[in-house]
Amino acid sequence: MNTSSNTIVNDQIGQLRPWLIFHIASLATFLVSIDTTVLYVAFHSIAKSFPDASATSISWVMNAYTLVYATCLIPAGGLADRFGRKRVFMYGVAAFILASVLCGLSPNVHTLILARMLQAMGASLLGPAALSLILEAFSKEKRAIVVGAWGAIGALAAALGPAFGAWIVDSFGWEWAFYINLPIGLYCLIRGRRHLIESSNPVAKVRFDLVGMVFIIGAIALIVSSLIEYKLYINQLIFPAALLTAGVFLLAVFVYWCKRASNPLVDLNLFKSNTYRAVNIAAFFFSIAFATMFFSFFFLMTKIWGYSLPQAGLAMMTGPATVVPTALLGGRAASKYGHKVVLTLGCIIFSMSSLWYLYAITATPDYLWACLPGQIISGIGVGLVMPSLSGAAVHDLPQKDYAIGSAINQAVRQVGTVFGVAITVAILVKTSVVLDDFHHLYVIQFLLVIISAALVTQVNTKK
């Protein structure tokens, strides 16, 4: 009788374990996703804490994280496969929560930037490892459902992040946007140590190219800094021009290095595929537009309409919430009609939101009739575009290149986000923000998305 009972219990545990692994891994990923959106809300609060810091320095609190995260994503998947997915996941979570505490304790903006870079390294380690742990835990028949649930977790974080972050920052200060990661991260470590199952591929190839990482980080840092510094040196353009020239030169060096290196950070041969090339360039421009839209929203709500941070956070929830059901419908449409149709339609719809904001937003607060429709339109556009960019990026690649192709695509999006933040800071971070500044941003958003729409017409996944 005892043997029979133990067998039943063991069977129940075996059935529940995959979802327990999903719970632990997705919770850690949710933590990383929500942390990213919280920083958009905390920007002004951080700037007030460090009044001697320049706009460039404050912007690098966000951009240093994004840039390091983007470049570390590419080798991170290989590290997890080679040295153990559970081990790398645990190291990633530990690094992330340690860096979070260091962020909250930072005495100056430079220390905060360094802590954010460490936080990005932890996030890049735990992300690919978490997904690998989940896929390993489930049978092939259930993986489509699990990946869909995984995507919904990210969308949920995007929807809750602004409101949750605004409440945290407004009630306790920006430091607690980082401290809140500690108890949740410790929970993941404790539960993960007991319940996660180790797996690895000892012969997996690790694409660790330190020289290439230095080149690309330096190139983007210089180019982005030239955008932000432009307005500070409007009468002396030699300095921003020198930064831009140096950045473009380093970018060229990076491309040359990738062509000659035996194990480069980015395999340029992947870009021989017309679809892969078009999708990644489109993803870059679309991510710039999305970042400017998302970041500028808080400036509009607080600086022009006079909303409190919690009010602005709640107002922001509609757009991301619209993304979830749209993404599910968009995925089905892409499988039936091809990614080109869905991507083109999504870009056009998102561009309509930029035009809506351009003509509907005034200095008088009117969330219901001026802002809400734009939120819904942009949410539908993002829901159609973002998931389809991921699917189209790897569609024509050989199976052996799925992981690296997907990682490069994600990195390209992150780099686009860096440029989007830089453009927003360059236009909106000043003593007095006026409505015309937002109109300039909406025009930029519209043009960037139209470029993306033109690029995705080159996508061909319906063969």
Side-chain angles (χ1 to χ4, degrees), residues 53-101:
S54 65
T56 304
S57 297
I58 299 298
S59 70
W60 278 110
V61 173
M62 301 174 66
N63 279 344
Y65 174 95
T66 308
L67 188 51
V68 171
Y69 179 69
T71 52
C72 289
L73 263 179
I74 297 173
L79 288 171
D81 289 339
R82 180 76 174 273
F83 299 107
R85 286 132 193 168
K86 175 180 177 179
R87 178 184 299 173
V88 171
F89 173 82
M90 299 289 278
Y91 282 144
V93 174
F96 185 81
I97 60 176
L98 172 62
S100 296
V101 174

Side-chain angles (χ1 to χ4, degrees), residues 242-289:
L243 289 176
L244 179 61
T245 303
V248 172
F249 174 76
L250 262 186
L251 187 61
V253 171
F254 171 74
V255 173
Y256 177 79
W257 171 263
C258 288
K259 288 181 177 179
R260 301 298 297 270
S262 59
N263 189 30
L265 182 69
V266 175
D267 184 357
L268 296 180
N269 289 322
L270 296 174
F271 290 87
K272 291 180 179 178
S273 164
N274 289 333
T275 291
Y276 189 77
R277 184 172 58 251
V279 163
N280 278 283
I281 300 173
F284 174 71
F285 286 113
F286 191 88
S287 296
I288 297 175

Side-chain angles (χ1 to χ4, degrees), residues 6 9-10 29 76 109 137 337 418 449 461:
N6 289 337
V9 170
N10 289 335
T29 308
V109 72
Y337 303 107
V418 170
V449 177
T461 59

